[in-house]
Amino acid sequence: LDRQQATKFRQQFLNFHVHEQALIFVELNLIQRQRLYRYLTSAKVAAIFNELDSADVTSAYFKEMAPKYAAAVISAMYTDNAVDMLETAAAADLSTYLKYIAPKKAATIRKLLHYQAKTAGAIMATEFIKLTGDQTAAAAMQLVKLQARQAEIIYYVYVVDQMDRLTGIVTLRDLLTAPGESSVAQLMTSPAVSVKVDDNQEDVARMISDYNFVALPVVDADEKLIGVITVDDAIDVIDEESAEDYSGLAGVDIDEQKDNPWQAAFKRLPWLITLLLLGMSTASLVAHYDQMVSEASILAVFISSITGTAGNAGTQSLAVAVRRLADPEADRRSLGKIILTEILTGMMIGLITGLAIMLIVGWWQQNIVLGFVIGLAMFCAIIVANLAGSLIPLLMDKIGVDLAVASGPFISTLSDLTSVLIYFNIAKIFLQFIISD
Amino acid sequence: LDRQQATKFRQQFLNFHVHEQALIFVELNLIQRQRLYRYLTSAKVAAIFNELDSADVTSAYFKEMAPKYAAAVISAMYTDNAVDMLETAAAADLSTYLKYIAPKKAATIRKLLHYQAKTAGAIMATEFIKLTGDQTAAAAMQLVKLQARQAEIIYYVYVVDQMDRLTGIVTLRDLLTAPGESSVAQLMTSPAVSVKVDDNQEDVARMISDYNFVALPVVDADEKLIGVITVDDAIDVIDEESAEDYSGLAGVDIDEQKDNPWQAAFKRLPWLITLLLLGMSTASLVAHYDQMVSEASILAVFISSITGTAGNAGTQSLAVAVRRLADPEADRRSLGKIILTEILTGMMIGLITGLAIMLIVGWWQQNIVLGFVIGLAMFCAIIVANLAGSLIPLLMDKIGVDLAVASGPFISTLSDLTSVLIYFNIAKIFLQFIISD
């Protein structure tokens, strides 16, 4: 009976595209998953695991299997994906799996596990096709045919010298259209565009995107070819990094979808409470000017206008600065010039916004001094907010600190403080005119 | 002399990777560009244009050339890229160029120009390899070799029936490893995953990314195969759409890098002024409670704490909701369940943040009623802000309106208004206790 069921299940399940199989897989419970391991070969499970979304990648699945079956699945996966899954495995489990895996593959996995997260080494695959430049196109095509099943990428053949150093790249397109007897050295593009194993994954992904590559070779410190990064990994990296920037601007992990309300709340609360405490400094500043507010309660009316507008302006500067850092190719001006541009932009914005609110307040409250105070405060507050919004991310990047998770709310909360400080100090000077008017 | 110069320039320039050539090209001035057109063949210029960043794509370059040369460049480009560039061309110029272009290609360009922006049709290429299922693998390989030069993508061969309807896909990998006499129908994956010509470009890009495809076929309403979308276009779309979401959260076009300060300021000002005007309603609300603030100026102290925290919480909800809309696969729960989760999350966050500020204010001001008022106001303001942050994008999406450019600052400015309204109404109830204490 079990056998009949298995056959039926296999037929139906394997009819789905492997990406859809992966989508179904992550919805199964433990009992269903263990039945699936029993019904499917390790190669089919490996294909599913190759397709898992990065959020679903975990070594826990291997723990549910017999170690030998787990090892077979790991062996059948592309090394980069297997390494991603094994990253969370306990050392003891890892050793058990690797015991059952062919020594060469096991050694590669061990090596890849040592590369630092978020570098080229951590996302590269080791299944690629390479040969030396003295081969002919026909021999190269023969090699491609032989290795087509194992290689993660067959669209490029990498040319190396005797020391295994990368010297050029031949596309499968070129091999297909070239006369069989032409030498690979003639056909290849040289020097080859490549990245170093410790390069940042975001830079690598940007490069693949900018050059429209399907894959990019990775070399070690001695220029030896050790891996390739494929475009599907580059998309994941770009997506992940832009999600991080976006999360930073909002002060929340935007990939929290699968959390329940308690988990979501406890992920969002730390930043809200931190910012609330930081915001208390703004409150205590207002409290410090309590006497002035009692005398001229009209001052309280415009606190939120000034903090709100300066906060918005600061967030705009921040967003532009963060984008500039993410895509350095888009702007190759010097740091000084970039900052000068931001200051001038801030002054322009401050001037026009300040004039606007001066006229509005002057007309509404029939008090031109009050209008002038609000306008001047807004002018200064916006310039400060713009400078903070553009300088803070640039400085953090210069000293090598990654942007804080909540850079957006942090800038606007900081800008609340400086805006109120500027506002009350300007108001203090003109207080007698505001009241007497 | 000119000839010698040309040869030397060609040698040096063509040594760069074509992507680097494109980077150099966009930095040239008109005179340098026209020299370049003289020195390089139309095919080389076409290769450069194929590599242009979307921000640099413009038909103005064609206007600088002799129409015949422009036509030759257009002919040599991939159709999808040529169409991108021609989108901004005047009708008269377009007709002139198309006159010099082979009728079949000209017809394709005309057709592609009619597809709506941001749909699959607008980004698809028409250079692909197709055949019928009764062919052999050997015949298919022969076809690939013949068309390898023109096709934008050679890694997939598309199988169609007599009506030109897509029936399956064969990978080049399968063709390379299969016995030559096996039939294409046996080798192909069927049914083929495809998209419709009027599908949204973002959905198409997500599909390519999720399935790890290098290309995705596009069919018309009759299931006829009419184009392919390649992974490099998908990356550009994902990048562009995430930049748009990010811009929306910050209320600024983050790709403004190349603008000078005046341009940058005038791009940012419209939103700032709009939000300032919206913010004036908050100011007039505070003015409305002027009398109360005079009596208890301590109330003014906590305006910014409440508006700031509720604004942050609302922005968090907004960011999560926008992300959910961008990647529907990540969350397949019903709308009701999503909103229920947000309400519960908001209540949790409001409760804990409200309790925190109640204790802080109660201890700081030695006034537990004031603490309770602030805490309760924050609790209510956060729930409202969270609901607005999650509901507004979902509703706008439901009624088919694209998210506003400045959704982030809009939500926080709106939340300022509701927060102040909630705050003063709660304060009014307890006013006598706050003052008497």
Side-chain angles (χ1 to χ4, degrees):
Chain A
L1 184 79
D2 190 59
R3 209 155 155 185
Q4 266 188 336
Q5 243 191 329
T7 313
K8 207 177 140 196
F9 170 81
R10 248 197 310 269
Q11 277 172 348
Q12 289 188 342
F13 186 76
L14 294 178
N15 237 344
F16 287 107
H17 190 279
V18 63
H19 170 66
E20 288 147 17
Q21 291 172 20
L23 288 181
I24 298 168
F25 176 81
V26 297
E27 300 290 333
L28 301 180
N29 62 33
L30 176 61
I31 295 168
Q32 294 169 321
R33 282 201 299 272
Q34 281 179 327
R35 199 174 297 151
L36 183 126
Y37 302 147
R38 216 163 61 235
Y39 290 172
L40 296 184
T41 63
S42 53
K44 294 290 178 198
V45 174
I48 295 172
F49 282 8
N50 275 333
E51 286 286 324
L52 287 179
D53 277 353
S54 53
D56 301 316
V57 161
T58 164
S59 63
Y61 294 135
F62 294 133
K63 276 213 88 138
E64 301 165 358
M65 307 169 179
K68 231 173 158 169
Y69 185 86
V73 172
I74 295 169
S75 290
M77 288 178 72
Y78 290 124
T79 323
D80 54 341
N81 299 331
V83 167
D84 282 348
M85 289 191 77
L86 288 172
E87 251 162 24
T88 53
D93 293 331
L94 185 66
S95 299
T96 315
Y97 306 145
L98 292 184
K99 220 166 51 194
Y100 294 109
I101 292 175
K104 213 177 144 191
K105 180 122 186 175
T108 308
I109 290 176
R110 271 197 199 287
K111 206 166 147 193
L112 286 183
L113 276 170
H114 277 105
Y115 288 115
Q116 259 206 299
K118 307 212 161 194
T119 63
I123 56 170
M124 72 186 184
T126 51
E127 293 88 353
F128 54 85
I129 305 172
K130 68 173 180 187
L131 43 66
T132 49
D134 50 7
Q135 307 261 38
T136 63
M141 272 310 298
Q142 205 47 46
L143 194 67
V144 172
K145 279 184 196 174
L146 274 175
Q147 302 196 358
R149 281 289 145 224
Q150 303 96 281
E152 185 161 358
I153 194 95
I154 63 164
Y155 314 131
Y156 301 109
V157 172
Y158 298 98
V159 186
V160 293
D161 63 13
Q162 294 82 344
M163 308 280 290
D164 228 14
R165 284 178 305 213
L166 181 68
T167 55
I169 297 178
V170 187
T171 64
L172 186 51
R173 193 189 294 256
D174 289 333
L175 284 181
L176 280 171
T177 51
E181 66 280 8
S182 49
S183 88
V184 162
Q186 278 175 322
L187 295 173
M188 73 185 183
T189 307
S190 180
V193 177
S194 66
V195 291
K196 290 262 188 289
V197 67
D198 51 3
D199 279 354
N200 185 296
Q201 64 169 6
E202 189 169 8
D203 299 337
V204 174
R206 283 270 153 225
M207 200 154 177
I208 290 179
S209 155
D210 287 338
Y211 280 80
N212 292 341
F213 286 142
V214 175
L216 191 57
V218 182
V219 298
D220 66 10
D222 304 323
E223 297 291 327
K224 279 188 189 163
L225 176 66
I226 54 171
V228 290
I229 294 173
T230 50
V231 65
D232 53 312
D233 294 321
I235 294 189
D236 292 344
V237 168
I238 287 175
D239 216 24
E240 194 183 301
E241 300 275 351
S242 74
E244 267 176 34
D245 288 347
Y246 191 75
S247 296
L249 200 59
V252 63
D253 173 12
I254 53 168
D255 282 324
E256 67 171 35
Q257 272 87 348
K258 279 167 190 163
D259 297 337
N260 65 41
W262 322 120
Q263 289 169 321
F266 277 99
K267 270 194 187 169
R268 298 187 199 178
L269 271 167
W271 275 111
L272 283 179
I273 298 281
T274 308
L275 293 166
L276 175 66
L277 294 178
L278 182 61
M280 288 316 289
S281 56
T282 307
S284 65
L285 193 67
V286 181
H288 178 74
Y289 291 100
D290 190 29
Q291 190 55 39
M292 199 158 82
V293 175
S294 297
E295 286 176 44
S297 63
I298 188 71
L299 286 177
V301 169
F302 299 102
I303 294 177
S304 67
S305 304
I306 292 173
T307 57
T309 308
N312 287 340
T315 308
Q316 288 181 331
S317 293
L318 174 77
V320 173
V322 169
R323 175 69 170 184
R324 190 180 281 127
L325 289 173
D327 190 5
E329 205 177 70
D331 194 343
R332 264 175 262 100
R333 293 175 301 171
S334 69
L335 193 66
K337 220 167 169 185
I338 288 172
I339 291 169
L340 185 69
T341 305
E342 264 310 316
I343 294 177
L344 287 173
T345 307
M347 285 175 71
M348 277 286 293
I349 289 174
L351 190 69
I352 294 178
T353 319
L355 277 174
I357 197 155
M358 182 174 117
L359 293 175
I360 294 171
V361 173
W363 170 80
W364 176 27
Q365 296 290 327
Q366 292 293 314
N367 183 336
I368 197 64
V369 180
L370 181 66
F372 175 74
V373 166
I374 311 276
L376 184 63
M378 192 164 289
F379 174 72
C380 299
I382 284 177
I383 293 175
V384 172
N386 264 34
L387 253 185
S390 53
L391 269 183
I392 290 177
L394 288 174
L395 290 178
M396 283 174 98
D397 185 69
K398 277 266 171 219
I399 58 171
V401 179
D402 205 7
L403 270 175
V405 193
S407 53
F410 177 75
I411 290 287
S412 66
T413 306
L414 190 73
S415 146
D416 282 356
L417 181 69
T418 56
S419 301
V420 167
L421 191 67
I422 290 168
Y423 177 41
F424 281 123
N425 274 296
I426 292 175
K428 203 162 77 181
I429 301 171
F430 296 92
L431 188 63
Q432 57 190 103
F433 305 105
I434 295 174
I435 301 173
S436 67
D437 254 37
Chain B
L1 184 78
D2 190 58
R3 206 153 158 188
Q4 264 188 338
Q5 239 189 333
T7 314
K8 206 175 142 198
F9 170 81
R10 249 198 309 270
Q11 276 173 350
Q12 289 187 343
F13 186 75
L14 294 178
N15 236 345
F16 287 106
H17 190 280
V18 62
H19 170 66
E20 287 148 16
Q21 293 171 19
L23 288 181
I24 297 168
F25 176 81
V26 297
E27 300 291 334
L28 301 181
N29 62 32
L30 178 61
I31 295 169
Q32 293 170 321
R33 283 201 299 272
Q34 282 181 324
R35 197 173 300 150
L36 182 125
Y37 302 147
R38 216 163 60 235
Y39 291 171
L40 295 185
T41 64
S42 54
K44 294 289 179 200
V45 174
I48 295 172
F49 282 8
N50 275 333
E51 287 286 325
L52 287 179
D53 277 352
S54 53
D56 301 316
V57 161
T58 166
S59 63
Y61 294 135
F62 294 133
K63 275 212 88 134
E64 302 165 359
M65 308 169 178
K68 231 174 159 171
Y69 185 86
V73 172
I74 295 169
S75 290
M77 287 177 72
Y78 290 124
T79 323
D80 54 341
N81 299 331
V83 167
D84 282 349
M85 288 191 76
L86 288 172
E87 251 162 25
T88 54
D93 294 329
L94 184 65
S95 298
T96 316
Y97 305 145
L98 292 184
K99 221 167 49 196
Y100 295 109
I101 293 176
K104 212 177 144 190
K105 180 124 188 174
T108 309
I109 289 176
R110 271 197 199 285
K111 206 165 148 195
L112 286 183
L113 276 169
H114 276 105
Y115 288 115
Q116 258 206 300
K118 306 215 162 192
T119 63
I123 56 171
M124 73 185 184
T126 52
E127 293 88 353
F128 53 86
I129 305 171
K130 69 173 177 185
L131 42 67
T132 49
D134 50 7
Q135 308 262 38
T136 63
M141 273 310 299
Q142 206 46 46
L143 194 67
V144 172
K145 278 183 197 173
L146 273 175
Q147 302 196 358
R149 282 287 144 226
Q150 304 95 280
E152 184 161 0
I153 195 95
I154 62 164
Y155 314 131
Y156 301 107
V157 173
Y158 298 97
V159 186
V160 293
D161 63 13
Q162 293 83 344
M163 308 279 290
D164 227 15
R165 285 178 305 212
L166 180 67
T167 54
I169 297 177
V170 187
T171 64
L172 187 51
R173 194 190 292 256
D174 288 333
L175 284 180
L176 281 171
T177 52
E181 67 281 8
S182 48
S183 89
V184 162
Q186 279 176 320
L187 295 173
M188 73 184 183
T189 306
S190 179
V193 177
S194 67
V195 291
K196 290 262 188 290
V197 68
D198 51 3
D199 279 354
N200 184 294
Q201 64 169 5
E202 189 170 9
D203 298 339
V204 175
R206 283 271 153 222
M207 200 153 176
I208 290 178
S209 154
D210 286 339
Y211 281 81
N212 291 341
F213 286 143
V214 176
L216 190 58
V218 182
V219 297
D220 66 11
D222 304 324
E223 297 292 326
K224 279 189 191 163
L225 177 66
I226 54 172
V228 290
I229 294 172
T230 51
V231 64
D232 53 312
D233 294 321
I235 293 190
D236 292 343
V237 169
I238 288 177
D239 216 25
E240 194 183 298
E241 299 275 350
S242 74
E244 267 177 32
D245 288 346
Y246 191 77
S247 296
L249 201 59
V252 63
D253 172 13
I254 53 169
D255 282 324
E256 68 171 34
Q257 271 85 349
K258 278 168 191 164
D259 297 338
N260 66 39
W262 321 119
Q263 289 168 321
F266 277 99
K267 271 194 188 171
R268 298 185 199 181
L269 271 167
W271 275 110
L272 283 179
I273 299 281
T274 309
L275 293 166
L276 176 66
L277 294 178
L278 183 61
M280 288 316 288
S281 55
T282 307
S284 66
L285 193 67
V286 181
H288 179 75
Y289 290 100
D290 190 29
Q291 190 55 39
M292 198 158 83
V293 174
S294 297
E295 285 175 45
S297 64
I298 189 71
L299 286 176
V301 170
F302 299 102
I303 294 176
S304 67
S305 303
I306 292 173
T307 57
T309 308
N312 287 340
T315 308
Q316 289 181 331
S317 293
L318 174 76
V320 173
V322 169
R323 174 69 169 184
R324 190 182 280 126
L325 288 173
D327 189 6
E329 205 177 70
D331 195 343
R332 265 174 263 101
R333 292 173 303 170
S334 70
L335 192 67
K337 220 168 167 184
I338 287 173
I339 291 168
L340 185 69
T341 305
E342 264 309 316
I343 294 177
L344 287 172
T345 307
M347 286 176 71
M348 276 286 293
I349 289 174
L351 190 70
I352 294 179
T353 319
L355 276 175
I357 196 155
M358 181 174 118
L359 293 175
I360 294 172
V361 172
W363 169 79
W364 176 27
Q365 297 290 327
Q366 291 294 310
N367 183 337
I368 197 63
V369 179
L370 181 66
F372 176 74
V373 166
I374 310 277
L376 184 64
M378 192 164 286
F379 173 73
C380 300
I382 284 177
I383 292 176
V384 172
N386 265 36
L387 254 185
S390 53
L391 269 183
I392 289 176
L394 288 174
L395 291 178
M396 284 173 98
D397 185 68
K398 277 267 169 214
I399 58 171
V401 178
D402 205 8
L403 271 175
V405 195
S407 54
F410 177 75
I411 290 287
S412 65
T413 307
L414 190 73
S415 146
D416 282 356
L417 181 68
T418 57
S419 301
V420 166
L421 191 67
I422 291 167
Y423 177 41
F424 280 123
N425 274 296
I426 291 176
K428 201 162 78 179
I429 302 171
F430 295 93
L431 188 62
Q432 55 188 106
F433 304 105
I434 295 174
I435 301 174
S436 67
D437 255 37

